[in-house]
Amino acid sequence: MNQTSKNIVSEVIENRQLIKTLAKNDFKTKFAGSYLGTLWAFVQPVVTVLIYWFVFDKAIGVRASIRGELDLPYVLWLVAGIVPWFFFSDCISAGTSVLSEYNYLVKKVVFNIDILPVVKVSASVFVHVFFVVFTVGLFFAYGYMPDLYLFQALYYSIGVLLLALGMSYLTSAVSVFFPDVRQIVNIALQIGIWVTPIMWNIDDMKEQIPAAALAVLQWNPLYYIVMGYRETFIDKVWFWEHPGMTCYFWIFTGVVCLLGITVFKRLKVHFADVL
């Protein structure tokens, strides 16, 4: 960890109460003025899950399996993979536009703008916690009891949080000077949900996808996260049983965080002038 990263970490620790307060306010004000208020934060992802479940399970008839042996309802397989994607997508979408959204704070010399991406990512945690609990409840309803592997969900949640945070520092800084970055990020997320094995099973595609293309798909860091959630809730596999993928993910995430923080720190002196 270089000096820049250490500074960010110390600033986050020093301003943890402020971050907590701003994150709560951000979460509440996002749906201010609507009758259902913050409930919309949970309704939209649930509706999305229901649509995908109906299309792929009821209309197409897709089935999933545990290590190719035991059949299980597609909705369980889908939810276990899409919950971390919701978290990542929400963090990146909100984080990219955080500086323009809080431009009145950016222009204040006394405010530490380094914590703004952390505020946005922290605000997304509220919904993610709900959906992890929702996933546990759904599995329980189908007869799958919680076990020690459930604690592994915290590990993967921290992983996707840090990955999203690093990317948010990068995209938020660049988007100040190139607003089109926000549209590029939205398109990338639309593509990402399909190239990540969320709705489809990568094991069933190995004979249909060239080895080189399959390797590229597995280099996607979200592949590690999605498969990790499924191994937590379904396959019952610990993360250290994949040492190669685990090392790759954390090296990739570390590089992204370092790059994002460095770019943010170097460009932030110009934010107020541009905004």
Side-chain angles (χ1 to χ4, degrees):
M1 183 182 295
N2 65 3
Q3 189 60 40
T4 302
S5 300
K6 289 180 180 178
N7 290 340
I8 288 287
V9 173
S10 62
E11 289 167 1
V12 170
I13 295 175
E14 291 174 4
N15 295 277
R16 59 187 181 277
Q17 290 300 325
L18 177 59
I19 292 173
K20 182 179 178 181
T21 300
L22 289 175
K24 286 183 178 180
N25 291 338
D26 184 274
F27 178 70
K28 292 177 181 178
T29 57
K30 186 183 297 184
F31 304 97
S34 60
Y35 288 109
L36 294 181
T38 56
L39 285 177
W40 284 115
F42 309 103
V43 170
Q44 184 176 350
V46 169
V47 171
T48 302
V49 170
L50 291 175
I51 292 173
Y52 287 143
W53 167 72
F54 176 79
V55 171
F56 287 95
D57 187 12
K58 300 304 179 182
I60 300 178
V62 175
R63 286 291 183 272
S65 62
I66 302 176
R67 298 179 184 175
E69 298 173 358
L70 180 62
D71 290 335
L72 77 157
Y74 178 77
V75 67
L76 297 183
W77 189 84
L78 172 64
V79 168
I82 205 170
V83 163
W85 175 264
F86 281 152
F87 184 36
F88 176 79
S89 177
D90 190 35
C91 288
I92 296 298
S93 298
T96 300
S97 59
V98 64
L99 295 177
S100 60
E101 182 178 340
Y102 285 96
N103 62 79
Y104 59 93
L105 292 178
V106 175
K107 295 176 182 179
K108 289 186 176 182
V109 179
V110 296
F111 187 82
N112 186 357
I113 63 174
D114 292 352
I115 67 172
L116 287 178
V118 181
V119 169
K120 277 296 184 181
V121 171
S122 299
S124 300
V125 170
F126 298 118
V127 179
H128 182 60
V129 170
F130 165 80
F131 276 102
V132 170
V133 175
F134 171 80
T135 302
V136 173
L138 189 62
F139 271 79
F140 180 79
Y142 276 90
Y144 294 88
M145 300 298 108
D147 52 28
L148 287 176
Y149 286 94
L150 182 59
F151 290 101
Q152 189 169 242
L154 177 61
Y155 161 79
Y156 285 109
S157 295
I158 292 174
V160 70
L161 184 150
L162 292 177
L163 176 63
L165 183 60
M167 289 186 174
S168 293
Y169 270 109
L170 178 62
T171 57
S172 63
V174 176
S175 68
V176 172
F177 306 93
F178 302 100
D180 289 354
V181 168
R182 300 167 201 164
Q183 305 304 322
I184 294 173
V185 166
N186 290 333
I187 293 174
L189 290 174
Q190 291 178 27
I191 297 173
I193 194 172
W194 294 106
V195 299
T196 305
I198 295 173
M199 266 74 73
W200 51 279
N201 193 337
I202 197 169
D203 293 330
D204 296 337
M205 303 292 288
K206 288 183 177 179
E207 296 182 359
Q208 304 175 37
I209 301 178
L214 187 65
V216 171
L217 291 175
Q218 292 176 329
W219 289 341
N220 174 4
L222 267 297
Y223 168 82
Y224 175 78
I225 295 295
V226 169
M227 299 306 293
Y229 269 75
R230 287 191 172 131
E231 289 178 343
T232 297
F233 287 99
I234 301 172
D235 291 330
K236 309 302 180 184
V237 177
W238 293 108
F239 69 89
W240 57 74
E241 295 183 47
H242 305 292
M245 285 297 297
T246 298
C247 289
Y248 164 74
F249 173 80
W250 287 109
I251 291 173
F252 183 93
T253 299
V255 171
V256 168
C257 288
L258 180 60
L259 176 63
I261 292 172
T262 301
V263 171
F264 189 95
K265 283 283 191 180
R266 291 189 177 184
L267 295 180
K268 76 173 186 176
V269 295
H270 305 290
F271 291 161
D273 297 331
V274 176
L275 292 172

